[in-house]
Amino acid sequence: MYQILLNSPLFRGLTSDELDALMQNINHQIRQFRNGELLAQAGEGVDMAILLLQGRLQGEMVDFAGNSLKIEELDPPQMVAAAFLFGPQNKFPVFLSAKTEGRIMVILKKDFTRMLSLEPRVMVNYLNIVSAKAQFLSGKITFLSLKTIREKIAFYLLQRAKQSPNIQVDIDQTQTALADLFGVTRPSLTRSVLEMEKQGILEWSKEKVFIKNLRMLNQILGR
Amino acid sequence: MYQILLNSPLFRGLTSDELDALMQNINHQIRQFRNGELLAQAGEGVDMAILLLQGRLQGEMVDFAGNSLKIEELDPPQMVAAAFLFGPQNKFPVFLSAKTEGRIMVILKKDFTRMLSLEPRVMVNYLNIVSAKAQFLSGKITFLSLKTIREKIAFYLLQRAKQSPNIQVDIDQTQTALADLFGVTRPSLTRSVLEMEKQGILEWSKEKVFIKNLRMLNQILGR
DNA sequence: CCTAAAATGTAACAGTTGTTACAAATCACT
DNA sequence: AGTGATTTGTAACAACTGTTACATTTTAGG
């Protein structure tokens, strides 16, 4: 009945039978949605868990500035706004709209809470989801705190180089895409890259980077 | 026995007796620490919950750049690195050191997990703590995404004005302090404020701001 | 009321990034 | 191999913030 959910991070580790048994004890509801439908407005209160079963949703960041409004897409089976069901300010952070038609499962907060108590594995899964979100945001902040493009490049390369302690870093992306990821313009990124090449810090060819002077790269980040 | 913990967000809502009964079922340990002691290094794995009972701890952000390394202080009774006990990357995000002598309670992760299952109220409290963290970080990111100082001022004032929909906003802070909060230099902030005054958008006197043109203030954020 | 400290106003200049536009090189495909 | 699309190199200029230094005003305490 709920096979889709077995692959979701929230119910990971449960057998099909266990999930069925659990859901029989928990009030829930299936809702269809149409393409283009607006499921939730930013600022609206969150008083239920929403699990995407089928179709595709998109959340548009509440970007006042408008210029780089980021769109996050959501594929099943996944939970919507997992980090905003609890907490002091449980309001939707985004406008949630449908990109296709599909189905969601809705569980009221009090029933969701009961489910977590009933099944410790689901509780741990949920904790992992929310914590992952917090950790992701935390990492994003350290990155956003970097002021110059040089610093962003250095941070990015060093983080990648750490995983495979190599002088060569595969970035598997064009400079154009990377500029977008960094939130800077492409010519500005190129300018900084060329400057760093001129200074003998690195060599950028195609989608690979050779770090020629690790010391200087670290120095950019203040050691 | 654990009266200090009764005031902690984690055990909110429990009676003294309930807390005592709960802790008798959960393995835990009290540890003393000395002033200046390094309790955890950034990057070190987190496999236990740490509750500060007495004394004061400080976490120093892993700030490569060095220039604006932020220090977060922690007062009892509070949980340390609550959002990093679960999740895929459960490592300390900061260097944790003692500013005074004091005591912490240590609960291994598996015991902590069991505690959450045993007592739904503590589970909900913990979910609120972690979610609050995620929500705080989320808000911080929207703020960090604002590019110009004008935008930061506008966002800050509008957010404050929303709570008490008034033309006058009390900020209870000097420009110097605000500049620090915004992560910009004081002369730059002043420059932007004066510019906005000259344009008839607002009037800044002492620690109060009168919004003279709400439309223009919104326009700065792209409506 | 007076004075030292803190906060605010002001200005010139340097550094970094965005903007725009175009040239050159590379890639992907037929 | 040829060609259209994509990516990268380059440049001039505008916009914004940081830096530094100093003047002026306001605040807090005796």
Side-chain angles (χ1 to χ4, degrees), chain A residues 64-65 83 86-87 89 128 135 221, chain B residues 64-65 83 86-87 89 128 135 221:
Chain A
F64 289 85
F86 292 88
Q89 186 199 337
N128 280 325
Q135 288 162 24
L221 296 172
Chain B
F64 288 84
F86 292 88
Q89 185 199 338
N128 280 325
Q135 288 162 24
L221 296 173

Side-chain angles (χ1 to χ4, degrees), chain A residues 5-6 34 127 144 147 159 171 175 203:
Chain A
L5 288 180
L6 284 174
R34 296 183 310 279
L127 283 172
L144 278 172
K147 283 169 198 118
Q159 195 151 36
I171 55 174
Q175 283 188 13
E203 231 166 77

Side-chain angles (χ1 to χ4, degrees), chain A residues 24-203:
Chain A
Q24 267 184 338
N25 272 306
I26 301 296
N27 288 326
H28 63 280
Q29 194 179 349
I30 306 288
R31 241 202 76 191
Q32 309 274 338
F33 57 82
R34 296 183 310 279
N35 186 355
E37 187 174 340
L38 182 64
L39 293 177
Q41 292 208 342
E44 197 174 298
V46 181
D47 58 350
M48 53 199 178
I50 299 177
L51 299 167
L52 177 59
L53 300 176
Q54 198 177 69
R56 172 176 276 195
L57 298 177
Q58 72 177 12
E60 298 175 24
M61 281 288 284
V62 210
D63 189 344
F64 289 85
N67 38 12
S68 77
L69 93 162
K70 282 160 200 165
I71 293 174
E72 211 179 337
E73 298 207 347
L74 209 66
D75 286 311
Q78 221 154 1
M79 185 165 169
V80 174
F84 290 86
L85 182 55
F86 292 88
Q89 186 199 337
N90 47 347
K91 298 173 186 169
F92 273 98
V94 296
F95 286 90
L96 189 68
S97 60
K99 273 201 84 176
T100 69
E101 60 172 15
R103 293 180 307 149
I104 54 176
M105 175 184 288
V106 174
I107 307 176
L108 289 181
K109 182 171 172 176
K110 73 176 204 311
D111 296 317
F112 188 79
T113 304
R114 204 166 66 84
M115 180 176 75
L116 298 183
S117 306
L118 280 178
E119 181 48 77
R121 282 173 293 178
V122 177
M123 179 192 78
V124 170
N125 285 340
Y126 183 59
L127 283 172
N128 280 325
I129 292 170
V130 179
S131 299
K133 185 84 178 180
Q135 288 162 24
F136 170 78
L137 292 174
S138 178
K140 197 128 192 164
I141 281 182
T142 38
F143 193 77
L144 278 172
S145 299
L146 301 176
K147 283 169 198 118
T148 68
I149 296 182
R150 285 172 73 89
E151 286 174 3
K152 292 180 200 232
I153 294 171
F155 185 86
Y156 182 79
L157 291 178
L158 287 172
Q159 195 151 36
R160 294 225 146 206
K162 204 164 46 180
Q163 286 161 1
S164 56
N166 213 321
I167 304 173
Q168 180 185 329
V169 181
D170 287 16
I171 55 174
D172 303 320
Q173 259 177 329
T174 67
Q175 283 188 13
T176 307
L178 205 62
D180 194 53
L181 178 69
F182 284 6
V184 301
T185 62
R186 202 269 317 162
S188 294
L189 177 63
T190 303
R191 182 200 285 142
S192 290
V193 168
L194 292 175
E195 195 181 302
M196 291 167 88
E197 280 187 331
K198 226 168 269 172
Q199 293 170 346
I201 300 175
L202 48 81
E203 231 166 77

Side-chain angles (χ1 to χ4, degrees), chain B residues 108-122:
Chain B
L108 289 181
K109 181 171 173 177
K110 74 175 205 309
D111 296 318
F112 188 80
T113 303
R114 202 166 67 85
M115 180 176 76
L116 298 182
S117 307
L118 281 178
E119 181 47 76
R121 282 172 294 178
V122 177

Side-chain angles (χ1 to χ4, degrees), chain B residues 1-3 5-7 11-23 119 121-122 125:
Chain B
M1 183 62 186
Y2 303 110
Q3 271 145 349
L5 289 180
L6 284 175
N7 294 319
F11 295 109
R12 179 170 297 156
L14 296 193
T15 67
S16 183
D17 289 346
E18 286 170 335
L19 180 57
D20 282 350
L22 182 61
M23 292 315 291
E119 181 47 76
R121 282 172 294 178
V122 177
N125 285 339

